[in-house]
Amino acid sequence: MVNLPPAAATWDAGDLGCGDLVMLLRPRVLALAPGEVLHVVARDPGAPADMPAWCGLTGHALVHADHPHYFIRRRAIDPSASPTNLE
């Protein structure tokens, strides 16, 4: 049995495809405190490729993936980042 990370919140994204999925995912991850985990249920067949790619681009950690379940840990805020450049 897999030991899943505790999630601060869960979001069921249903069948949303890549564009809609990542646009609606972003504010949900940003609503978390740094280090907290969001459990995402994403049933779109592209999610196994899209979720790791989005995490790689944004710096958040995909700590567990077993389609359709994804656990994303919000990254720490970079103190050198511009306030307008925070994701």
Side-chain angles (χ1 to χ4, degrees):
M1 177 151 196
V2 176
N3 224 0
L4 298 175
T10 297
W11 176 48
D12 187 346
D15 295 331
L16 288 175
C18 178
D20 292 334
L21 175 63
V22 298
M23 281 182 35
L24 296 173
L25 174 59
R26 182 177 180 270
R28 285 168 171 81
V29 171
L30 294 180
L32 301 174
E36 285 187 326
V37 173
L38 176 66
H39 171 208
V40 180
V41 181
R43 294 179 187 83
D44 181 78
D50 296 338
M51 299 297 273
W54 185 82
C55 288
L57 289 171
T58 60
H60 302 293
L62 182 61
V63 293
H64 181 79
D66 184 15
H67 187 72
H69 299 276
Y70 301 87
F71 290 80
I72 300 170
R73 185 178 313 280
R74 183 180 172 180
R75 71 181 176 120
I77 295 174
D78 181 353
S80 66
S82 161
T84 59
N85 197 22
L86 295 176
E87 51 183 59

